[in-house]
Amino acid sequence: MQYQDFYGKKISTLGLGGLRFPTVDGDPNRIDRAAGQKVVDAAMQQGINVFDTAWSYQDGDSERFLGEALAKYPRESFLLGLSGVQTVFSGMSDVSQVIENAALFDAPKPLSAAERKTLQMAAGAFLKTMGVPCSGCRYCCGICPAGLEIPLLIKGYNEQNITGSTWKIGMLTETKGASACLSCGACLSRCPQKIDIPGVMKKIVEQQ
């Protein structure tokens, strides 16, 4: 694992994000403690010492679980909730993902100019095909005065554009529609992906 200095502390260049912990079947907001603990333990064993989560992840269960999972380790052995650091956070759901991702950070292997160009082209094609790049972090939901389930609406929008139907998206028919958006823009500063959420809500309404 590669490390960098942060005010005298060594921090891993790969961090574990708390959005993708394994969940209990049938309840996406309840983390599987046993499986999740294996992910955290594997991360520590691979030299990952930076962890990130938010109250909006799994309706608060990500924060609760991560506190429980890290309690067995000395507090000085890991860092939480850092901002402004050059660390790549990855939400990993099982041990194999942790090991695979950690291996990529064992030695610096910068991309060549040709590889960077290819990657940029692939990213452009991906975004064009997949639609709105919402990660489902839910940072926008708590501040929305209309109480919209924004990630769910965007997920439905993407699914409609890709497959032509939304029947796979559970709860979509039971939530408030995009037409309830007030276009106030309160969500814009909360979105890590810099998505024009009010603009997307308008597109969803036009699509209906």
Side-chain angles (χ1 to χ4, degrees):
M1 179 58 61
Q2 300 175 65
Y3 296 89
Q4 56 186 322
D5 181 74
F6 182 72
Y7 293 100
K9 294 183 180 292
K10 285 177 58 180
I11 63 173
S12 55
T13 51
L14 173 64
L16 178 61
L19 183 60
R20 309 294 181 193
F21 285 124
T23 56
V24 175
D25 289 343
D27 190 349
N29 288 326
R30 183 182 172 197
I31 293 172
D32 184 322
R33 261 50 182 179
Q37 185 69 58
K38 291 180 180 179
V39 171
V40 173
D41 291 343
M44 293 292 285
Q45 291 166 8
Q46 294 295 320
I48 296 172
N49 65 1
V50 187
F51 299 83
D52 179 72
T53 185
W55 180 250
S56 59
Y57 296 171
Q58 284 86 34
D59 199 24
D61 203 35
S62 177
E63 281 194 349
R64 288 190 291 267
F65 163 71
L66 195 55
E68 297 165 8
L70 290 171
K72 62 190 286 188
Y73 296 99
R75 183 60 186 89
E76 65 273 12
S77 67
F78 60 87
L79 298 162
L80 284 168
L82 296 179
S83 59
V85 296
Q86 296 298 311
T87 294
V88 176
F89 284 103
S90 175
M92 295 172 264
S93 302
D94 59 50
V95 173
S96 66
Q97 292 176 4
V98 176
I99 294 174
E100 181 180 359
N101 287 348
L104 298 175
F105 288 79
D106 278 342
K109 296 178 181 178
L111 297 176
S112 66
E115 289 173 328
R116 285 197 298 271
K117 183 177 180 180
T118 300
L119 183 61
Q120 290 170 349
M121 292 174 62
F126 175 81
L127 291 176
K128 184 177 180 180
T129 302
M130 297 305 293
V132 183
C134 173
S135 66
C137 69
R138 295 181 57 81
Y139 290 158
C140 55
C141 294
I143 201 172
C144 177
L148 295 181
E149 288 289 332
I150 296 170
L152 182 62
L153 293 171
I154 292 178
K155 187 175 182 180
Y157 174 71
N158 286 340
E159 186 69 23
Q160 178 67 43
N161 287 335
I162 295 168
T163 68
S165 64
T166 60
W167 64 270
K168 295 180 181 178
I169 312 298
M171 304 297 291
L172 187 60
T173 59
E174 301 174 25
T175 192
K176 286 184 181 179
S179 60
C181 176
L182 303 175
S183 297
C184 65
C187 52
L188 295 176
S189 63
R190 297 296 185 91
C191 180
Q193 311 301 328
K194 306 303 180 186
I195 297 170
D196 177 13
I197 296 174
V200 174
M201 294 300 106
K202 289 180 181 178
K203 290 181 179 179
I204 293 175
V205 174
E206 293 169 357
Q207 187 184 68
Q208 295 170 344

